[in-house]
């Protein structure tokens, strides 16, 4: 920093600050010259050590010379050094690149899916979602299936980042394979899968590298009390609970009131489908991220069934849809 006029500056400090760059340049040039002399002497020794072979062309002779003089190793180490001029070893430089500021985690979801609707009914658990996936605010993908079977007794559905859901499915594949390899006559049920996913999501949250999903896990497994139906959810920070009916995403605001009013424990599969379709239709009208292409899945003691996608009949002639700003105060 400068204080006062140029006459107030210390002449010693001025001379040191101006000559320091020149000295560093001088030292760099001397080091380069010395290194060049060393390389030349090693090339000469390599030339003397290589027996004259008439079959070697000039390019092959140059390769042999470089191998003898260890120039290949130096060039590889030079490429592995970081760009800031530090003289770390190749392995340290690679580690710095892998874990340093150049590596970034996904801190915002890109391709996302919307709501999952799930509920228990008389014979098992039913789960539904649309097949759309948005790239930002654009409905980019129209045939994305976000409901999958896990093992013999469970279904999983996911809202949020689709690539993170694919990573979770990879975790579950490894888990079910490991469980199958025990060959002890037992298999993981929905409660165990839910418990495992709560630990995974909470672990990633604590690393500040979360999986951007809200997961719904449902299933049926025979237990001490007979056929036990299970339905639970876990979100991206590890918050989890078990409930008779669950909705994620925008459905948590629009579908939960409908489910609380109309859900019954003794519902048949047909009644459960009608209730789920009612929730999906409300979300189609109100959620811009939803599309009219839905998929329903169920799981009972007989196993999981995922039905092909289909569309619902819609009606857009409501007065509130034709002129939504009518009667609104201050609306333009």
């Amino acid at each position: 920093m400068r204080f006062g006029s140029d006459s107030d500056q210390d002449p010693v400090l001025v001379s040191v600050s101006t000559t320091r760059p020149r000295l560093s340049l001088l030292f760099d040039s001397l080091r380069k010259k010395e290194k060049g002399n060393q390389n030349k002497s090693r090339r000469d020794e390599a030339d003397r050590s290589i027996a004259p072979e008439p079959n070697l062309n000039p390019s092959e002779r140059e390769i042999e010379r470089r191998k003898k003089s260890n120039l290949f190793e130096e060039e590889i180490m030079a490429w592995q050094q970081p760009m800031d001029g530090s003289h770390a070893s190749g392995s340290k430089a690679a580690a710095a690149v892998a874990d340093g500021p150049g590596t970034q985690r996904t801190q915002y979801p890109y391709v996302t899916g919307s709501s999952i609707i799930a509920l228990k009914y008389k014979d098992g658990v039913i789960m539904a979602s649309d097949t759309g996936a948005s790239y930002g605010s654009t409905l980019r993908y129209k045939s994305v299936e976000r409901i999958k079977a896990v093992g013999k007794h469970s279904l999983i559905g996911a809202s949020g980042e689709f690539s993170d859901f694919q990573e979770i499915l990879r975790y579950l594949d490894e888990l079910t394979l490991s469980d199958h390899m025990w060959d002890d006559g037992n298999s993981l049920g929905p409660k165990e899968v839910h418990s495992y996913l709560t630990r995974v999501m909470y672990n990633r949250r604590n690393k500040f590298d979360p999986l951007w999903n809200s997961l719904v896990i449902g299933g049926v497994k025979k237990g001490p009390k007979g056929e036990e139906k299970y339905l639970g959810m876990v979100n991206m920070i590890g918050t989890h609970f078990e409930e008779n009916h669950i909705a994620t995403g925008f459905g948590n605001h629009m579908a939960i009131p409908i489910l609380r009013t109309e859900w019954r424990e003794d519902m048949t599969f047909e009644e459960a489908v009608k209730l789920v379709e009612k929730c999906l239709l409300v979300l189609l009208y109100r959620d811009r991220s939803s599309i009219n292409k839905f998929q329903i899945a169920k799981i009972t003691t007989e196993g999981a069934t995922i039905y092909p996608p289909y569309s619902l009949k819609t009606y857009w002639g409501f007065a509130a849809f034709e002129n939504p700003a009518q009667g609104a105060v201050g609306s333009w």
Side-chain angles (χ1 to χ4, degrees):
M1 296 179 62
R2 298 182 58 187
F3 298 94
S5 62
D6 294 339
S7 60
D8 297 335
Q9 294 184 3
D10 192 341
V12 176
L13 294 179
V14 172
S15 62
V16 170
S17 63
T18 54
T19 56
R20 187 170 294 166
R22 299 176 185 175
L23 289 176
S24 62
L25 292 174
L26 178 61
F27 290 151
D28 289 341
S29 63
L30 290 176
R31 278 195 294 267
K32 290 179 180 178
K33 186 175 181 181
E34 183 180 359
K35 190 173 183 180
N37 293 335
Q38 292 176 356
N39 291 339
K40 185 176 182 302
S41 62
R42 277 189 289 180
R43 287 194 188 94
D44 294 339
E45 293 177 2
D47 289 337
R48 289 192 294 270
S49 63
I50 297 175
E53 298 182 12
N55 295 330
L56 286 179
N57 57 37
S59 61
E60 292 174 342
R61 189 174 180 81
E62 177 64 22
I63 291 175
E64 291 295 328
R65 180 188 298 113
R66 284 171 173 263
K67 287 181 179 179
K68 291 286 184 179
S69 58
N70 295 326
L71 290 177
F72 279 155
E73 288 77 0
E74 286 194 0
E75 290 173 357
I76 292 173
M77 293 293 292
W79 277 104
Q80 289 179 341
Q81 285 182 0
M83 296 299 292
D84 59 357
S86 62
H87 299 282
S89 64
S91 59
K92 291 182 179 179
V97 171
D99 299 329
T103 301
Q104 294 183 355
R105 307 295 184 185
T106 301
Q107 296 298 312
Y108 190 81
Y110 285 88
V111 178
T112 58
S114 58
S115 305
I116 297 287
I117 309 295
L119 56 90
K120 297 178 183 178
Y121 70 101
K122 184 175 64 174
D123 298 325
V125 174
I126 186 172
M127 195 176 295
S129 71
D130 67 358
T131 60
S134 301
Y135 181 77
S137 59
T138 303
L139 276 170
R140 176 65 180 83
Y141 305 101
K142 307 297 177 63
S143 299
V144 176
E145 297 183 0
R146 296 183 287 115
I147 300 175
K148 300 292 182 180
V150 181
K152 300 178 181 179
H153 309 288
S154 306
L155 281 175
I156 182 172
S159 300
E161 172 61 42
F162 190 70
S163 63
D164 285 348
F165 180 48
Q166 291 174 319
E167 179 74 1
I168 291 169
L169 291 178
R170 188 178 67 84
Y171 293 162
L172 293 175
D173 286 341
E174 295 177 357
L175 181 69
T176 53
L177 178 61
S178 175
D179 178 62
H180 180 71
M181 289 170 61
W182 281 100
D183 195 20
D184 56 358
N186 194 13
S187 57
L188 293 174
K191 188 172 184 179
E192 291 80 20
V193 174
H194 186 211
S195 178
Y196 169 78
L197 290 175
T198 60
R199 297 304 90 206
V200 170
M201 303 299 276
Y202 188 69
N203 174 264
R204 291 292 293 265
R205 168 260 180 110
N206 287 342
K207 292 181 178 179
F208 292 89
D209 184 21
L211 296 167
W212 290 72
N213 296 104
S214 292
L215 305 173
V216 179
I217 302 93
V220 181
K221 187 179 180 183
K222 290 184 178 179
K225 300 179 182 179
E227 298 177 1
E228 297 180 358
K229 294 172 285 188
Y230 186 89
L231 183 61
M233 75 87 62
V234 57
N235 64 7
M236 61 178 288
I237 61 173
T239 302
H240 58 281
F241 58 88
E242 181 185 355
E243 187 54 88
N244 293 321
H245 45 74
I246 291 174
T248 65
F250 206 64
N252 192 32
H253 304 281
M254 305 298 296
I256 288 295
I258 300 174
L259 294 174
R260 286 174 177 169
T261 303
E262 302 186 19
W263 177 84
R264 301 190 323 273
E265 189 174 0
D266 59 344
M267 297 179 71
T268 64
F269 177 69
E270 290 75 16
E271 291 174 334
V273 169
K274 289 182 180 179
L275 179 56
V276 165
E277 287 181 346
K278 183 176 182 179
C279 296
L280 293 174
L281 200 58
V282 169
L283 291 174
L284 177 62
Y285 288 145
R286 298 296 182 182
D287 186 1
R288 64 165 177 79
S289 299
S290 180
I291 65 171
N292 192 8
K293 189 177 179 182
F294 303 104
Q295 190 169 34
I296 287 179
K298 72 173 182 178
I299 186 163
T300 63
T301 54
E302 299 177 356
T305 304
I306 300 177
Y307 296 95
Y310 65 100
S311 299
L312 294 174
K313 185 178 179 180
T314 58
Y315 175 72
W316 298 92
F318 297 107
F321 288 165
E322 294 177 355
N323 188 4
Q326 185 178 8
V329 179
S331 174
W332 48 275

